[in-house]
Every structure is written in structure tokens, then in C-alpha cells.
Amino acid sequence: MTDQDRGSETASGLSHVAVGETARDHYTLAPLPWLAGCSDVGRRHETNQDALALGGRETTQGRLAVLVISDGVSTSLGSEESAAIAAEVASSTLIAMLRTMPDASAEQVQATLTDAFIAANDAVLASTGPGPTPGSCTLICAVLNEGRVSVGNVGDCRAYWIGDDASCHILSVDDSLAQARIDLGMSREDAERSFQAHAITRWLGPDSQDVTPGSRRWTCPARGGCWSAATGCGTTAPPRRT
């Protein structure tokens, strides 16, 4: 494990770690004993197109945490670089908020989530990669503070609350053709089987039309944890939405 994997302690006491130059095929980030994540190359692609960033600290009022995952769009060249940029910029924006406003209201968190997605998109568009234009990516961010989880997403990465009682609640809504058809009244089973069901309808990067994150807030039960995941988790048997 590298020094970056362990995380860096800021003057405010808030540990922050992102993928950076860590080997991408498999890496683990653990800035705090209760905050960790890992990512692997997977089975379908030659490179790991996911990027992860984490930050958090303990306070007298409880735990503060930021969890960010970006997933490169596999049909765009250089998407893994764009995912790393998006995860780093979004997490830095959200962590800066928690440093200055550890007791931020739900409205302040939501406003900063929107700022984080705009900043991440701008950074991706300004980047250079192996292709004529930057790669595209999806992004999901979860902020834990004041006993609640605030989630913002563009694309089809997901956030879940996993209870100590083995309950599972999905805290995000996919930007996908399947979800659009569900919203129009199609059953989830039929939508998941429909043509191009998992094609995304929103993303960061070239040709993106709207990067304002879809958002949800969840009041944390007494015990459990927040889990964010890139595409693929739960698509065959999605858990109960909250």
C-alpha cells in the first residue's frame, strides 16, 4: 500500500485520498479505519475505467465522509483518465465544503454537490487524452454528515445503504434508457430486458447536455453503512428503492 492509499491528513484533520497514480488494475484506498474502498479491472475490459476518491474525519457530532466514484464510458477513448479527473475534482470540492462547514445544512450540501459536478465536467472537458476529444464518464458522490447521506449522480453508478440487519436500500436513480422506460410506466422486468436498456442518457464530458446531479437524501438508521458502486451492481435483482 502506498502513502497515497493510506490517505493524507489535512490541517483540518480531514483525511482525503484519491486514485491518482496508484496502479489501476487493482487498488485499495483506506484513509480511515471505517472508510475504505477498492476497485478492480473487471472482466470485460483491458483497463480499469473506474476511479475512486474518499475523504472523512471523526467529530464530536459524528462522522463526516465523502465517497466518490466515476466510471469511464467504455465507448469513448481515454475514459479512464477522465474518470480519475472527475473523481479527484468532485471529491476535492466536497471535502473543501466539509472543512469549512462541517455542520452544513442539507441545502448547502446539495448546492455543493451541484458545484462539484459542474467543476468535474469542466475539468474533464479541459483535459487532454489519447483521443481527439476527452473521454466521457459517469459520476456519483455521497456525503455523510449530520446523520444523513446526500447523494448526487449523473449516469448509472449507484449508491446503497447497507444496514446491519442485512437490509439494502438504493439511494440513487440511474440515468439510463431502462429507467426512462420505467418512468413512462414499463415494468422494471421488461425495461431491464428492452433494447439498449443500460445505455446511459446523461454523462460528463463531450456532448453532455445536463450535468446537474440527480439528488436524494437519506436519514441514516442507527447502524449500517453507505456503499457506492460503478455500473453492474444490482441490475439483475435491484434492491428496494427508498
Side-chain angles (χ1 to χ4, degrees):
M1 182 178 289
T2 67
D3 288 340
Q4 187 179 29
D5 292 327
R6 296 188 193 95
S8 57
E9 191 75 11
T10 70
S12 65
L14 200 152
S15 296
H16 176 208
V17 62
V19 59
E21 297 303 320
T22 305
R24 293 289 292 275
D25 283 357
H26 172 81
Y27 62 93
T28 301
L29 307 181
L32 293 165
W34 50 269
L35 181 62
C38 67
S39 182
D40 291 278
V41 68
R43 298 180 178 181
R44 296 182 59 186
H45 304 292
E46 294 182 359
T47 59
N48 186 356
Q49 297 171 350
D50 301 336
L52 172 68
L54 304 170
R57 71 172 177 177
E58 298 267 8
T59 72
T60 55
Q61 287 76 38
R63 292 172 173 173
L64 303 177
V66 169
L67 300 85
V68 175
I69 287 179
S70 182
D71 182 14
V73 176
S74 59
T75 55
S76 65
L77 190 62
S79 62
E80 58 266 38
E81 287 89 351
S82 294
I85 291 168
E88 171 61 25
V89 171
S91 63
S92 295
T93 303
L94 293 167
I95 285 167
M97 173 199 66
L98 290 183
R99 288 175 185 158
T100 57
M101 297 186 295
D103 55 351
S105 67
E107 290 72 22
Q108 289 170 320
V109 172
Q110 179 56 49
T112 308
L113 276 168
T114 299
D115 291 343
F117 277 73
I118 293 171
N121 186 59
D122 289 346
V124 168
L125 290 173
S127 66
T128 57
T133 60
S136 301
C137 58
T138 62
L139 181 66
I140 191 163
C141 305
V143 178
L144 172 66
N145 78 320
E146 297 292 302
R148 62 179 177 263
V149 179
S150 300
V151 175
N153 73 290
V154 167
D156 56 356
C157 293
R158 292 182 171 185
Y160 301 84
W161 179 268
I162 310 296
D164 283 3
D165 59 357
S167 61
C168 180
H169 305 272
I170 185 167
L171 308 182
S172 55
V173 178
D174 294 348
D175 292 314
S176 68
L177 287 180
Q179 185 60 49
R181 290 163 183 157
I182 292 168
D183 293 342
L184 291 173
M186 185 178 289
S187 71
R188 177 170 294 277
E189 182 179 5
D190 289 342
E192 296 284 359
R193 294 175 178 174
S194 63
F195 179 66
Q196 291 188 332
H198 300 295
I200 58 174
T201 56
R202 296 202 303 150
W203 59 87
L204 305 186
D207 300 322
S208 57
Q209 301 297 314
D210 178 15
V211 298
T212 303
S215 62
R216 304 190 82 185
R217 290 198 295 267
W218 168 254
T219 300
C220 307
R223 300 186 64 84
C226 186
W227 176 44
S228 294
T231 4
C233 293
T235 54
T236 55
R240 178 165 60 91
R241 293 187 181 273
T242 299

